[in-house]
Amino acid sequence: MANIAITDATTARPAYGSMSRDRRWALRWSYFFLVLFAVFFLMPPIYMLITSLKTSQEISAAGNPWWIYNPTLENYLELLTQNHYLTFFRNSAIVAVCVVAITMLISVIAAFALARMKFWGSATLATGVFLTYLIPETLLFIPLFKMFAWVNETFGIQLMNHWWTLIILYPTLTVPFATWIMIGYFASIPKELDEAALIDGATWMQTLTKIFIPVALPGIIAATIFTFTVAWAQFLYPLAFTTSTTELVLPVGIITTLIKGDVFNWGQIMTGALLGAAPPLIIYAFLMDYYIAGLTAGATKG
Amino acid sequence: MADIAAPSSVAGTGDSRSSLHKLMQRKSTVAFLMALPLILLISILVAYPAGYAVYLATLNKGMTRFVGFGNFEFLFGRDTFWLVVYQSCLFAITAVIFKALIGFVVAHFVHNIPSKGQRKWRGMLLVPWVIPPAMSTLAWLWLFDPSYSAINYLLAPLGIERIPWTGEAGWARFSVILVNVWIGSPFFMIMYLAALKSVPEQLYEAAAIDGATWWQRIWYVTLPMMRNIIAITALFSLIVTFANFDIVRVLTAGGPLNSTHIFGTWAFRVGIEGGDIPLGASVSLFMVPILAVAAAFILRDITKRGSEV
């Protein structure tokens, strides 16, 4: 081993120049492949944008699909003056905002209790929260469907086919995750901080609002962004539980109203999808670092 | 409260312990109340439905009679069911492997370039993960359109004939996996990039002094250091991919001839659209074993990490 190391050391000095050349080549290759991957990753959104700026005639013409010959805002105007699309957008926005508020209220308080104020079964509950986060909605929509029918029979409350039902349903997807990452953030706050507050006579609620929430603010922002994204993107629950045009949210609304039988109005579908993707994209563009912090915290904090 | 506390303080020696005990008791009550909304939400809208699904799976179609394992027996006798099992496994395993590979490779490229440009690239490469899947899948559906496929247009000069992306069983299976990889690999990239940054630079320097090739550096330094994060990310993704719904539903709706149905979409078809709720519940329950195994491994990894720290 020693011999090899010595020979390496002797050859290393003249080879130093080639090493930096290697590094330069590695850099070039890295950029080359990054461009390649960026093209692959950005192709669908760019094609959405291209299609949204075309007229129906141009879309069904035989020309180059990647080029816009007569750019037009016709699709945008038509979609935004049409009542349906604005209804979907409004439903989506109300649902998302309410879900974010409910989720953050429940999860921040519960995470504080689980991270700091240990009680009987709190460790089990924390694990339980994590396990619930792993239960997918594809497992729950059928029993929920039946439960809603039962609620209607027993209490006479119709939960089916109302957009506000989604406000009850979405927290099942967002609360476990938000609680989980908030437990991680709260647990990382030094114990001395809240001990000092308690000695000074602060109540638990004051400790939470005056110390934990301000200190863990990045975590709260990350959880809020995540919750919003999930509430905005959820597809299965609205598809299963809402049917009337006035009750739909964006993802389902675009698919059910703009596709009529076998006729795809692609210009409007792409415009609708692009506008629908805009809110999460805009939030992401401004708060990317929080977004990434939340993403990595969700799977690694423990 | 003050009344009760007063005698104990007079009592002398035992006072600090009993009042501390009281405090603990009070604290735990407050804590329980604070966690109560979470407990209620989880038990009513997650735990109960999950248990209810098991009960539903034992009923007949009209939900009037208990049939035991009748639904499962019925499923085992159907070819479509085995097709769904095969496709679910193929879809989830292939997609996770490719997501992990692409994520790992891209993370390395991002890690290689000077750090001031990394943020920009990372931001660009994460876009597929941010767009709601149902909407980005619509864009793919349009890219795959049988008569105006923009991808086929690009492939035509390379001498590749029109590809029936969603029209033929084999290609449709490839397409749903491709879209899933497109949506999911940025997540792996971010996770692996974070892990790469946490590998101490000295290890690479030591490896370089020992004359390690780039391949040996990856195999003996990077991979062992990232093992935990690779495992957790892959298991997470396995659960999410296995339980996927949006992509398959929008891109192929299970077709052609049920060849791309996975558990989630088939359960929807049978249970909601077909009106056979017990059978749909039975189908979705087949996800449980795989989810449970993956969840057990994730929990083990996370508790292990916890005890290390």
Side-chain angles (χ1 to χ4, degrees):
Chain A
M1 209 43 172
N3 288 347
I4 302 165
I6 289 164
T7 48
D8 265 7
T10 47
T11 51
R13 199 166 300 154
Y16 187 76
S18 85
M19 203 158 129
S20 79
R21 203 168 61 217
D22 278 356
R23 198 158 288 169
R24 222 170 26 242
W25 271 108
L27 203 62
R28 271 180 209 155
W29 278 113
S30 296
Y31 278 118
F32 173 73
F33 281 109
L34 279 178
V35 169
L36 224 59
F37 278 111
V39 167
F40 170 62
F41 283 138
L42 295 178
M43 180 175 67
I46 288 172
Y47 194 53
M48 274 168 151
L49 182 67
I50 292 176
T51 311
S52 73
L53 296 170
K54 287 184 187 180
T55 58
S56 318
Q57 291 79 12
E58 200 181 325
I59 288 169
S60 49
N64 181 352
W66 293 93
W67 191 253
I68 313 165
Y69 295 96
N70 306 302
T72 168
L73 289 175
E74 197 183 293
N75 290 316
Y76 289 86
L77 286 175
E78 220 168 298
L79 211 58
L80 292 176
T81 48
Q82 191 193 62
N83 288 326
H84 290 329
Y85 191 79
L86 292 177
T87 313
F88 305 152
F89 212 97
R90 193 206 60 193
N91 288 349
S92 267
I94 299 175
V95 168
V97 169
C98 292
V99 169
V100 166
I102 293 172
T103 304
M104 294 322 290
L105 203 65
I106 294 180
S107 62
V108 166
I109 294 175
F112 178 68
L114 289 174
R116 270 303 193 271
M117 311 164 67
K118 303 279 187 307
F119 58 93
W120 187 82
S122 61
T124 322
L125 185 60
T127 314
V129 167
F130 183 66
L131 283 179
T132 357
Y133 166 44
L134 297 181
I135 296 179
E137 74 270 26
T138 28
L139 198 64
L140 299 176
F141 72 101
I142 288 178
L144 284 170
F145 195 83
K146 192 72 190 63
M147 278 166 68
F148 283 2
W150 174 83
V151 167
N152 189 25
E153 282 162 24
T154 321
F155 302 108
I157 305 167
Q158 180 59 278
L159 291 167
M160 288 296 210
N161 202 8
H162 287 299
W163 58 264
W164 46 260
T165 305
L166 303 175
I167 300 175
I168 308 168
L169 282 176
Y170 287 0
T172 59
L173 305 168
T174 55
V175 167
F177 179 84
T179 311
W180 180 249
I181 66 170
M182 286 326 296
I183 291 177
Y185 272 99
F186 284 162
S188 69
I189 294 175
K191 272 224 159 57
E192 290 77 16
L193 221 55
D194 45 309
E195 275 164 9
L198 284 178
I199 288 167
D200 286 347
T203 63
W204 284 105
M205 226 43 201
Q206 282 172 323
T207 322
L208 174 62
T209 51
K210 298 262 160 60
I211 293 176
F212 275 74
I213 290 179
V215 173
L217 200 61
I220 292 177
I221 296 175
T224 309
I225 298 172
F226 169 83
T227 307
F228 178 82
T229 316
V230 167
W232 192 266
Q234 175 51 230
F235 180 65
L236 171 57
Y237 283 156
L239 190 68
F241 298 112
T242 55
T243 43
S244 310
T245 319
T246 52
E247 306 297 330
L248 296 179
V249 289
L250 266 179
V252 179
I254 294 168
I255 286 167
T256 50
T257 59
L258 294 180
I259 299 175
K260 296 181 182 78
D262 279 346
V263 184
F264 288 70
N265 187 349
W266 281 114
Q268 282 195 17
I269 294 173
M270 289 296 102
T271 312
L274 195 66
L275 288 176
L281 278 174
I282 292 168
I283 291 175
Y284 165 71
F286 286 104
L287 300 169
M288 189 173 86
D289 295 322
Y290 292 109
Y291 192 96
I292 287 169
L295 213 58
T296 42
T300 55
K301 280 266 164 63
Chain B
M1 243 346 172
D3 290 355
I4 304 163
S8 70
S9 65
V10 182
T13 44
D15 66 342
S16 64
R17 256 184 74 195
S18 72
S19 65
L20 192 72
H21 184 72
K22 285 244 165 53
L23 184 77
M24 287 300 285
Q25 216 171 21
R26 214 166 57 203
K27 187 181 113 181
S28 70
T29 321
V30 174
F32 179 75
L33 287 176
M34 284 165 88
L36 196 61
L38 172 80
I39 297 170
L40 286 177
L41 180 87
I42 288 181
S43 43
I44 296 174
L45 288 171
V46 181
Y48 177 74
Y52 192 47
V54 178
Y55 170 70
L56 279 176
T58 61
L59 300 178
N60 70 342
K61 188 177 177 181
M63 283 176 282
T64 47
R65 198 161 45 80
F66 178 78
V67 292
F69 290 106
N71 284 316
F72 295 101
E73 277 165 26
F74 175 74
L75 284 175
F76 288 145
R78 277 184 71 175
D79 290 341
T80 317
F81 173 73
W82 293 109
L83 200 65
V84 170
V85 173
Y86 168 75
Q87 171 63 12
S88 295
C89 296
L90 180 81
F91 175 74
I93 294 169
T94 322
V96 170
I97 290 174
F98 277 97
K99 279 188 270 194
L101 277 176
I102 292 179
F104 191 76
V105 170
V106 178
H108 265 277
F109 289 138
V110 176
H111 191 60
N112 266 351
I113 64 171
S115 49
K116 68 174 191 297
Q118 284 186 11
R119 197 169 174 275
K120 195 179 63 194
W121 282 100
R122 200 180 53 177
M124 242 185 329
L125 296 171
L126 196 62
V127 164
W129 179 262
V130 182
I131 302 176
M135 297 179 194
S136 52
T137 310
L138 274 175
W140 279 103
L141 185 64
W142 174 220
L143 281 164
F144 288 153
D145 192 87
S147 29
Y148 302 105
S149 171
I151 297 184
N152 283 349
Y153 179 87
L154 292 179
L155 294 178
L158 304 174
I160 298 168
E161 290 286 303
R162 285 168 160 262
I163 296 172
W165 293 102
T166 54
E168 202 180 86
W171 279 110
R173 286 182 172 147
F174 174 80
S175 302
V176 287
I177 291 171
L178 176 72
V179 175
N180 192 291
V181 169
W182 178 81
I183 291 176
S185 41
F187 170 66
F188 280 79
M189 188 265 290
I190 290 297
M191 298 299 289
Y192 291 170
L193 191 61
L196 273 177
K197 294 207 180 303
S198 68
V199 178
E201 198 57 39
Q202 294 96 303
L203 292 181
Y204 291 113
E205 284 163 13
I209 288 167
D210 285 347
T213 60
W214 67 272
W215 172 247
Q216 286 171 322
R217 278 209 299 276
I218 290 182
W219 191 253
Y220 292 110
V221 180
T222 315
L223 281 178
M225 290 302 285
M226 286 173 62
R227 200 175 51 201
N228 216 336
I229 211 108
I230 290 176
I232 290 187
T233 314
L235 287 166
F236 252 80
S237 177
L238 189 67
I239 290 181
V240 176
T241 314
F242 203 72
N244 186 276
F245 179 80
D246 309 15
I247 296 169
V248 176
R249 175 74 197 183
V250 175
L251 201 64
T252 63
L257 292 172
N258 297 329
S259 58
T260 53
H261 263 311
I262 53 178
F263 284 122
T265 55
W266 203 47
F268 189 86
R269 171 62 54 80
V270 171
I272 307 287
E273 291 177 330
D276 194 340
I277 286 180
L279 198 64
S282 321
V283 171
S284 60
L285 280 179
F286 278 96
M287 283 188 281
V288 173
I290 291 179
L291 299 183
V293 171
F297 274 108
I298 294 178
L299 267 185
R300 200 198 58 179
D301 276 5
I302 282 177
T303 45
K304 204 165 62 188
R305 278 166 72 86
S307 60
E308 273 167 15
V309 176

